[in-house]
């Protein structure tokens, strides 16, 4: 029996090459898998999917030409390859930019390294109360509103598209801003900490094909803004009076007052100190402080 097993291995297994697998190889496979998955999700959630289908159809046509030895078509495809590569970059420019913005999000980096050791001041309970009361007051009378609550990623680019402001948040101020036929009612306002920093701001519209067709420009702008930043966007529908929240490219519709307060408290309590790197730095500082105290004694 042992001889048969030995013969089997010599005949079938001996000639097979087993590459040496290192830790870096496993890490490389995981990174490539993650990147491919993110690219697939990105393509699926944007209009790039329709363009990709066109490219795949063209590639299939060229493959058929290669199989059937259609030399003229193959020559044309070869000569046009460089032009097509440049054209793809031009056509996919908005999607490529959005993908790079997502990759470079500060939140992704600060989860590993303490690049920004200064903790940003969070908005107060009075601010939350003012926004929530204003939102549901406008909801009752079907006054449309779009409120962008800034978090870690600064929205200076979008702030510059509107009218600069600098005032404390209150329900009365918000209701007056979004009142019909007032100079500031059109567009979005941007909230930073406890202050309104800009009004009538223009936001990027989402290209997500899965969004409901009954959603208007206001909701698409909210989702679009949440796709390119970590902001929380509150929307009041002018047609139904429904209150929605967009975060991370997702839209939650018809929220109650309690659910909206929960959303605000979730981001309000998200302290910068929860970053593992910052916790380590704080522990090192604490240890050094304790050592200094012991030395003094």
């Amino acid at each position: 029996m042992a001889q048969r097993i030995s013969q089997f291995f010599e005949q079938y297994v001996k000639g097979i090459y087993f590459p040496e697998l290192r830790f870096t190889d496993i890490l490389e496979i995981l990174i490539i898998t993650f990147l491919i998955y993110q690219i697939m999700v990105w393509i699926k959630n944007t209009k790039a999917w329709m363009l990709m289908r066109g490219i795949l159809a063209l590639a299939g046509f060229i493959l058929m030409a290669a199989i059937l030895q259609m030399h003229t078509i193959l020559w044309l495809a070869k000569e046009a390859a460089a032009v097509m590569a440049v054209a793809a970059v031009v056509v996919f420019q908005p999607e490529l930019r959005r993908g790079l913005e997502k990759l470079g999000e500060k939140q992704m980096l600060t989860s590993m390294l303490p690049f920004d050791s200064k903790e940003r001041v969070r908005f107060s309970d009075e601010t939350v109360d003012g926004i929530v009361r204003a939102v549901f007051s406008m909801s009752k009378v079907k006054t449309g509103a779009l409120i962008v609550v800034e978090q870690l990623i600064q929205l200076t680019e979008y702030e510059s598209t509107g009218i600069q402001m600098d005032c404390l948040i209150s329900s009365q101020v918000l209701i007056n801003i979004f009142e019909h036929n007032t100079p500031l009612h059109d567009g979005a306002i941007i909230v930073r900490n406890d202050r309104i920093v800009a009004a009538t701001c223009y936001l990027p519209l989402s290209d997500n094909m899965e969004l409901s067709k009954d959603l208007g420009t206001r909701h698409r702008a909210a989702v679009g803004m949440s796709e390119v930043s970590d902001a929380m966007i509150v929307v009041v529908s002018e047609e139904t009076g429904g209150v929605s929240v967009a975060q991370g490219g997702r839209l939650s519709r018809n929220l109650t007052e309690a659910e909206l307060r929960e959303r605000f408290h979730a981001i309000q309590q998200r302290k910068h100190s929860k970053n593992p790197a910052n916790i380590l730095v704080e522990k090192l500082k604490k240890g050094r402080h304790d050592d200094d105290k012991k030395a003094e004694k």
Side-chain angles (χ1 to χ4, degrees):
M1 184 68 178
Q3 188 177 0
R4 287 183 180 179
I5 293 172
S6 176
Q7 287 176 354
F8 174 81
F9 273 94
E10 284 181 5
Q11 186 174 357
Y12 296 104
V13 180
K14 192 176 180 181
I16 299 175
Y17 170 68
F18 292 99
E20 182 183 355
L21 194 63
R22 301 170 298 170
F23 172 74
T24 52
D25 297 327
I26 297 172
L27 184 62
E28 190 175 11
I29 291 168
L30 291 174
I31 291 171
I32 292 171
T33 304
F34 174 76
L35 290 175
I36 291 173
Y37 173 76
Q38 290 297 325
I39 290 169
M40 289 172 67
V41 171
W42 166 68
I43 289 173
K44 180 177 177 291
N45 291 333
T46 64
K47 65 181 179 182
W49 171 238
M50 301 298 293
L51 298 172
M52 186 60 68
R53 286 174 62 181
I55 291 172
L56 290 174
L58 185 61
F61 179 72
I62 293 171
L63 179 63
M64 185 183 70
I67 293 170
L68 298 177
Q69 296 294 309
M70 298 178 178
H71 300 292
T72 305
I73 293 175
L74 292 175
W75 179 83
L76 288 172
K78 182 180 176 182
E79 294 300 316
V83 178
M84 288 169 67
V86 175
V89 173
V90 173
V91 170
F92 284 100
Q93 186 270 333
E95 283 73 23
L96 289 171
R97 180 184 173 184
R98 187 170 298 176
L100 290 173
E101 284 175 348
K102 277 287 183 187
L103 186 63
E105 272 188 6
K106 196 175 177 184
Q107 193 173 5
M108 185 182 292
L109 298 175
T110 52
S111 63
M112 297 179 288
L113 296 172
F115 288 122
D116 188 6
S117 59
K118 184 171 71 176
E119 185 174 340
R120 182 167 294 186
V121 178
R122 295 290 177 185
F123 41 84
S124 64
D125 291 334
E126 288 78 11
T127 296
V128 174
D129 190 57
I131 294 175
V132 172
R133 280 195 289 124
V135 163
F136 282 92
S137 294
M138 291 185 286
S139 172
K140 288 176 183 176
V141 294
K142 296 184 179 179
T143 299
L146 192 54
I147 302 170
V148 181
V149 181
E150 184 184 86
Q151 294 194 65
L152 288 176
I153 298 176
Q154 288 201 354
L155 307 176
T156 313
E157 177 185 351
Y158 305 99
E159 183 185 335
S160 62
T161 64
I163 297 172
Q164 300 296 311
M165 295 182 67
D166 184 20
C167 68
L168 284 170
I169 293 171
S170 68
S171 58
Q172 293 84 357
V173 169
L174 291 172
I175 290 170
N176 285 335
I177 287 175
F178 291 110
E179 187 64 36
H180 290 292
N181 302 321
T182 56
L184 301 179
H185 86 281
D186 196 19
I189 67 164
I190 294 177
V191 173
R192 179 177 299 139
N193 302 329
D194 287 324
R195 308 189 78 84
I196 300 170
V197 295
T200 69
C201 298
Y202 294 101
L203 307 183
L205 297 179
S206 174
D207 294 324
N208 191 343
M209 302 296 181
E210 295 181 359
L211 288 176
S212 175
K213 300 298 181 185
D214 62 346
L215 293 177
T217 306
R218 189 177 281 112
H219 289 82
R220 288 192 171 274
V223 176
M225 190 65 181
S226 71
E227 288 172 346
V228 299
S229 72
D230 62 346
M232 186 178 89
I233 302 93
V234 182
V235 190
V236 180
S237 172
E238 195 169 351
E239 287 76 25
T240 64
V243 176
S244 306
V245 167
Q247 255 184 314
R250 296 179 180 275
L251 184 69
S252 303
R253 302 176 66 183
N254 300 319
L255 270 64
T256 63
E257 186 172 340
E259 289 172 335
L260 183 59
R261 285 186 187 275
E262 258 182 49
R263 293 295 189 102
F264 272 106
H265 290 151
I267 62 172
Q268 188 182 27
Q269 293 166 8
R270 194 184 300 157
K271 299 297 184 184
H272 187 71
S273 58
K274 287 183 180 178
N275 185 336
N278 288 319
I279 292 172
L280 179 61
V281 171
E282 285 178 9
K283 284 184 177 178
L284 291 172
K285 285 181 181 178
K286 188 177 181 229
R288 187 176 64 183
H289 183 63
D290 292 342
D291 290 339
D292 291 342
K293 277 189 176 179
K294 287 178 183 178
E296 287 175 4
K297 289 179 181 177

